[in-house]
């Protein structure tokens, strides 16, 4: 047989053509079947195997194989052979119905679906619903938060700050500065029940407050070291004292680039006068509602997770001592955070999200 010529004319009925076109349009699922449908549809135009192979992007042997399979067994011949094991009892239509209801509907008595509620609606078992959701990466029980910055200078500020992370200037120090305000010194109303085999650590849900403190911190982007101070109040006076500390530890021959948010204490007349006398200090403000651009926020998250959230502090002095110990441990073995995304990648990600949500009706 000559591969370049069809062995026999391929005739496709109207019903078969409708099914083949439906299979060929599948964007993601069952791509093998979609490719076979495209091969048969191309052969039905009277094209030779070589032409079809070039058009679909497969070998001539594959075109000949599926042409012959369709001639002898029609549409059934394009499907995969039955595999060993119990036959499927749940059709594609029922799976599609579960996915569609999960995405487009809500139960009458809840804001989201559970496996039990979807099983009752679809007539399938909870295990089956769980498997379908897992196969399509659906997690209706989970919800995450987000916030899009409405800063009119969002693009310029993103490019400015990301540029400092990826290509810091010569003879300069880049510091990420922020305050973790009103950290509470909390003590539980009853002693903790410690961890033991078969039982997690337990604590009372209520607590006693023993005052608050505010932590001012500056993260060195290059080395990962942190300069920190605790103050009982959070005003521009305390922020100026912290700037004095930064000035005392940074060599005088280096320019200082401070990345910080738009909090009011950073823009008072007192701070502006302080900066006017020190031209080597340069401020770079994050966009409003975009504190995630400030790397020191990641260090604050580690501090909260490792020292504050489950800590017991019977006074602000104990709380500040714990913070200072963690500062010392950080600086004994500093590990810088590595920024990887470019400004273009961040802006494209935001644009993608806006395109998905625009016109959604929410």
């Amino acid at each position: 047989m000559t591969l370049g010529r069809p062995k026999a004319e391929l005739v496709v009925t109207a019903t078969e053509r409708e099914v083949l076109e439906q299979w060929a349009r599948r964007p993601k699922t069952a791509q093998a079947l979609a490719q076979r449908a495209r091969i048969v549809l191309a052969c039905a135009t009277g094209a030779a195997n070589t032409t079809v192979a070039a058009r679909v992007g497969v070998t001539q042997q594959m075109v000949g194989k599926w042409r012959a399979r369709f001639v002898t067994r029609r549409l059934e011949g394009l499907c995969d052979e039955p595999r060993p094991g119990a036959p499927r009892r749940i059709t594609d239509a029922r799976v599609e119905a579960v996915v569609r209801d999960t995405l487009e509907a809500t139960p009458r008595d809840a804001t989201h679906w559970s496996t039990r509620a979807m099983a009752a609606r679809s007539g399938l078992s909870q295990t089956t619903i769980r498997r379908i959701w897992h196969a399509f990466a659906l997690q209706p029980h989970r919800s995450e938060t987000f916030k899009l910055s409405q800063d009119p200078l969002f693009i310029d500020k993103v490019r400015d700050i990301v540029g400092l992370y990826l290509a810091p200037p010569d003879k300069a120090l880049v510091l990420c500065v922020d305050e973790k305000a009103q950290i509470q010194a909390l003590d539980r109303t009853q002693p903790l029940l410690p961890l033991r085999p078969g039982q997690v650590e337990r604590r009372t849900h209520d607590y006693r407050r023993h005052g608050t403190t505010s932590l001012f911190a500056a993260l060195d982007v290059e080395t990962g070291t942190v300069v920190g101070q605790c103050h009982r109040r959070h005003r521009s006076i305390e922020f100026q004292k912290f700037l004095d500390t930064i000035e005392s530890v940074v060599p005088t021959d280096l320019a200082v680039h401070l990345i910080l948010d738009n909090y009011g204490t950073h823009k008072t007349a007192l701070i502006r006068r302080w900066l006017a006398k020190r031209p080597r200090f340069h401020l770079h403000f994050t966009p409003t509602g975009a504190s995630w651009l400030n790397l020191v926020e990641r260090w604050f998250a580690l501090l909260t997770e490792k020292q504050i959230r489950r800590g017991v502090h019977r006074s602000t002095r104990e709380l500040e001592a714990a913070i200072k110990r963690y500062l010392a441990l950080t600086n004994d073995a500093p590990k810088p955070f590595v920024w990887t995304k470019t400004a273009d990648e961040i802006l494209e990600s935001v644009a993608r999200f806006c395109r998905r949500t625009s016109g959604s009706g929410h």
Side-chain angles (χ1 to χ4, degrees):
M1 179 180 70
T2 304
L3 293 176
R5 299 175 179 273
K7 183 176 181 180
E9 173 135 6
L10 195 62
V11 179
V12 178
T13 66
T15 303
E16 290 173 337
R17 181 177 295 276
E18 183 179 351
V19 175
L20 289 170
E21 290 176 349
Q22 181 180 357
W23 288 351
R25 283 195 300 266
R26 293 190 175 190
K28 293 183 180 179
T29 59
Q31 285 302 292
L33 183 60
Q35 185 182 69
R36 297 164 194 169
R38 287 192 287 269
I39 290 173
V40 173
L41 288 172
C43 291
T45 63
N49 288 1
T50 52
T51 305
V52 174
R55 186 185 305 172
V56 183
V58 297
T59 63
Q60 298 177 19
Q61 290 84 351
M62 181 175 288
V63 174
K65 170 185 175 180
W66 294 111
R67 177 195 288 272
R69 187 81 67 87
F70 182 79
V71 168
T72 57
R73 299 178 55 190
R74 311 309 294 178
L75 291 175
E76 185 181 341
L78 301 184
C79 299
D80 292 326
E81 295 293 338
R83 298 183 180 179
R88 282 186 58 188
R89 294 183 292 112
I90 303 172
T91 63
D92 290 343
R94 299 191 71 181
V95 173
E96 181 181 357
V98 169
V99 174
R100 184 180 62 250
D101 289 344
T102 304
L103 296 175
E104 300 177 2
T106 54
R108 291 188 300 173
D109 60 343
T111 59
H112 58 278
W113 290 104
S114 65
T115 55
R116 188 184 300 276
M118 182 56 71
R121 178 186 177 99
S122 62
L124 302 173
S125 67
Q126 287 183 250
T127 303
T128 301
I129 298 299
R130 189 177 298 109
R131 288 173 179 169
I132 294 174
W133 282 354
H134 179 75
F136 288 88
L138 295 173
Q139 298 176 318
H141 63 287
R142 294 188 59 189
S143 177
E144 296 180 349
T145 58
F146 75 97
K147 181 176 178 63
L148 288 178
S149 173
Q150 298 181 355
D151 195 318
L153 299 177
F154 176 76
I155 295 176
D156 295 334
K157 290 180 178 180
V158 167
R159 293 193 183 280
D160 177 35
I161 293 175
V162 174
L164 287 175
Y165 290 153
L166 299 181
D170 296 331
K171 296 183 179 180
L173 188 67
V174 179
L175 298 176
C176 295
V177 177
D178 201 2
E179 304 92 354
K180 189 171 180 62
Q182 300 295 307
I183 309 174
Q184 299 184 84
L186 302 179
D187 182 19
R188 300 294 161 177
T189 57
Q190 297 175 10
L192 296 177
L193 295 178
L195 172 72
R196 66 181 184 182
Q199 178 179 295
V200 299
E201 179 185 274
R202 295 181 180 179
R203 62 185 65 218
T204 59
H205 68 279
D206 53 347
Y207 46 81
R208 296 189 182 94
R209 294 186 179 93
H210 296 286
T212 62
T213 189
S214 294
L215 171 63
F216 293 74
L219 170 71
D220 187 338
V221 172
E222 183 179 3
T223 64
T225 56
V226 180
V227 178
Q229 275 186 350
C230 289
H231 292 278
R232 299 298 171 87
R233 302 188 68 179
H234 183 203
R235 303 170 299 174
S236 58
I237 296 175
E238 285 75 26
F239 184 59
Q240 180 187 342
K241 293 178 181 178
F242 183 57
L243 291 177
D244 290 335
T245 301
I246 293 176
E247 184 182 29
S248 66
V249 299
V250 176
T252 57
D253 60 333
L254 294 179
V256 183
H257 293 265
L258 302 181
I259 298 172
L260 63 171
D261 61 21
N262 297 272
Y263 195 68
T265 56
H266 303 157
K267 301 179 179 181
T268 62
L270 176 66
I271 301 302
R272 289 199 299 269
R273 287 194 299 269
W274 190 94
L275 292 170
K277 298 176 183 178
R278 296 162 177 84
R280 72 180 182 128
F281 278 77
H282 308 275
L283 269 58
H284 306 262
F285 291 102
T286 61
T288 55
S291 60
W292 48 267
L293 272 172
N294 197 334
L295 279 177
V296 76
E297 296 287 351
R298 189 67 196 91
W299 185 81
F300 282 156
L302 291 176
L303 170 67
T304 302
E305 177 186 348
K306 296 183 176 182
Q307 286 292 331
I308 297 177
R309 181 175 293 127
R310 293 174 60 175
V312 174
H313 307 106
R314 295 176 177 85
S315 66
T316 52
R317 183 175 299 177
E318 285 188 15
L319 174 61
E320 290 175 353
I323 293 173
K324 290 175 182 177
R325 283 196 302 271
Y326 188 75
L327 270 169
L329 291 172
T330 298
N331 293 328
D332 286 344
K335 185 177 180 181
F337 300 105
V338 179
W339 191 275
T340 57
K341 276 200 172 184
T342 65
D344 288 337
E345 290 173 333
I346 294 173
L347 296 174
E348 175 57 29
S349 177
V350 173
R352 250 191 337 266
F353 181 83
C354 292
R355 286 194 296 267
R356 288 175 54 195
T357 56
S358 61
S360 64
H362 297 289

